[in-house]
Amino acid sequence: MSEQRYSIGKTAEITGLTAHTLRYYDKEGLLPFVERTESGLRSFKEEDLGWLNLIACLKKTGMPIKDIRHYIDLCMLGDSTLGERIEIFKNQKRLVEAQMAELNSFLETLEYKIQYYENMAKAQP
């Protein structure tokens, strides 16, 4: 039984990424694990979908493409790079925690203003 393969269109549908984004990620060196068919078309495996989800996660947390590419390169080098990969994730976690603290501060301001204006609206005759 052969492994399930997905076209770029089907992969885009499954992951929620666009085909354009997938091509861009490939061009930027983020998809060295993706195989090609004899005719040169990208052929995504189930395992590749996990990689794409991780790449999307890192991108959404604000990690630059060059840093994601560095991480992918480290993964391709094997277990000798585990320490550096751990540090990459610890650093990104710190950045996300700082973003969350900032967003929580913004949320508190919004909640205060909502309460303030609701109280003003109730006080009007």
Side-chain angles (χ1 to χ4, degrees):
M1 185 167 134
S2 66
E3 184 176 25
Q4 177 71 43
R5 298 289 181 149
Y6 304 102
S7 67
I8 196 166
K10 185 64 175 174
T11 301
E13 182 183 319
I14 293 168
T15 62
L17 300 168
T18 65
H20 174 79
T21 297
L22 294 170
R23 287 185 195 96
Y24 172 73
Y25 285 175
D26 194 20
K27 181 178 140 282
E28 290 298 314
L30 302 184
L31 309 178
F33 44 84
V34 173
E35 297 173 7
R36 301 246 180 188
T37 65
E38 287 181 17
S39 59
L41 299 174
R42 292 167 190 88
S43 178
F44 294 85
K45 302 180 301 239
E46 197 69 36
E47 179 183 339
D48 299 339
L49 302 180
W51 279 102
L52 290 168
N53 286 331
L54 178 59
I55 291 167
C57 169
L58 294 173
K59 187 81 178 90
K60 287 178 183 177
T61 64
M63 185 179 280
I65 291 289
K66 69 176 183 57
D67 293 345
I68 298 172
R69 181 176 44 246
H70 178 66
Y71 165 73
I72 298 290
D73 290 344
L74 291 173
C75 290
M76 296 297 112
L77 290 174
D79 290 349
S80 65
T81 65
L82 286 173
E84 192 173 350
R85 287 187 264 165
I86 290 167
E87 286 308 309
I88 287 170
F89 278 94
K90 284 182 177 180
N91 289 335
Q92 196 63 22
K93 180 178 181 267
R94 282 190 285 275
L95 290 172
V96 169
E97 288 169 343
Q99 291 170 348
M100 289 173 65
E102 184 178 41
L103 287 172
N104 279 327
S105 171
F106 296 157
L107 184 59
E108 288 173 11
T109 299
L110 293 171
E111 288 171 343
Y112 170 80
K113 282 301 195 181
I114 289 168
Q115 189 64 47
Y116 176 80
Y117 288 125
E118 284 178 344
N119 287 339
M120 284 182 63
K122 287 178 192 171
Q124 287 188 337

